[in-house]
Amino acid sequence: MSGDKIATAVEDKPSGISVIWLVPLMALLAAGWLGYRAWQQTGPTIDIAFVAASGIAVGKTEIRFKDVKIGLVNDVSLDKDLQQVRVSAEMEPIAASHISENSRFWVVQPRVSLSGISGLNTLLSGVYIQMDPGAAGASKRSFIGLDEPPEVNSIDKGSVYTLHAEALASLDIGSPVYYRQIRVGDVTGYKLADDGNSVEVRVFVNAPHDQLIKTNSRFWNISGFGMELNAQGLKANMASLASLISGGIAFDTPLDTRQSIAEMGHHFNLFSDEKSVEEQAYTLKYSYLMNFTGSVRGLAAGAPVEYRGIKVGQVEQIRFIQNNDRIQVLVTLEPQRLDLQTLVSRTGLDEALQRIIKTGMRAQLKTGNMITGALYVDLVQQSVPGGELIMSAEYPEIPTVEGQFEQLARQLNGAINKINQFPLEDIGQELLGSLKSLRIMLAELKAQRVTAKVDGTLANLQSASGKLDETITLANEAIVQVDVTLKSLDKTIDPDSELHYQALRLIDQLTKASSAFRELAEELNRNPNALLFGKEKR
């Protein structure tokens, strides 16, 4: 046994990789695949800072774009300084490529304003966070949330413009912008200008309507209800019920092919109303003086100056000049109202006025509205030529004539003076004297008693004379009444009126009656039998 050799063990090393390693390798590949798939199905996590987390709930508050869920809040916490609330949200993978440094986020909740009510759907679903992707830019995962919705979303197509106004009036964010009474945009914001002298109003006009806005476009405020009383009557203006409540802006573009389309951000003036827009179109204004001797009651600054029914200017100032007892009216004439294609210089307008004044043109006050008594200045053409534009050191002076009421008052005074000069009292005295003589003559005839028949005739005549006395008395009263009536109508009667004519005719008839009675009395005195046998033939 001792001589037997012990066999030595030999290690047999396998060649290549063992099959057993395939199991963990396949598990690793599967885990990697699952991880990749999980990564693909999970979007980025973003962080948004808000002032407050009102209504935001973990696992419930969504992040939306076009009302489609693109994320969900998974954590809400406070900053270390307790000044802000940090909202962490897990986004959908589809949103990953659209989140950039230009993205914006804000909380949508119910809002009530003059422009309308928004966010009503949150009453049932709760508040949510709205996302505006913005323009493409560098990737970013931390944002500061907006306190208010942005003026314009990046998906909105259109242009933003800035309007300068003296006051905001009733405009507010969301107030409509109209073109030909069609809503084409909204007011997106406003602020006080840097110099504090005006208000800057930003408006957004939707495409393609923004192509209607050119560099010469004009904007005006249509807020509320407007009413104007002028020589043409009462005029009311209201664009829409929405503009009455929340205000609004309208614009138009004059026809001018030389003007180009306004670029985004262009600045315009915002006028208080449409009338102010029309007035602003006339840039040339030259001042002139007019002196009036009569009353200017009813004339006010802003009253129009017209020439043949066309407004050519307006009254600027009214002042009393004591040294010559005149009312001085300062007006501005706007030659562009007659010809917008020609820029008339001051010298050119003076020469034109000089020519038409020499032909008889004068300034006259006329009534523009019978209800209010408002006056305006009318450049009228007189039948008598002559006159000139008086050049003075201050302003050129346009000659004037008395107003319509002054002319009428002068004519009435002339008519009253003529009536007062008419000898009505003298005529009445002569008529009374003639009738008194006739009464005495008839009394003498009665005393003579020529025959019994004549006595009866005279008795009849006496009775007639008594009635004649009554007639005379009535005639006397009629004359007095006519005299009183004429005097009471001194301010209104015209020399050629029917009343004047009838009065003269009455006096003439009474005079003729008196002459006829006188002839009858003389005939009876000569021949008493004439009442019985008629007048003797000669």
Side-chain angles (χ1 to χ4, degrees), residues 283-289 312-314 316 330-336 342-350 353 395-396 398:
T283 56
L284 295 180
K285 295 183 179 182
Y286 303 127
S287 299
Y288 292 87
L289 286 178
V312 295
Q314 69 177 17
E316 298 293 339
L330 178 65
V331 304
T332 54
L333 300 185
E334 302 164 354
Q336 289 173 296
T342 304
L343 294 178
V344 181
S345 63
R346 179 59 184 260
T347 303
L349 183 58
D350 289 346
L353 286 175
Y395 300 106
I398 298 176

Side-chain angles (χ1 to χ4, degrees), residues 15 31 40 64 176 226 250 321 419 491 534:
S15 59
Q40 279 190 325
R64 298 181 184 180
I321 305 301
I419 293 174
K491 294 183 180 181

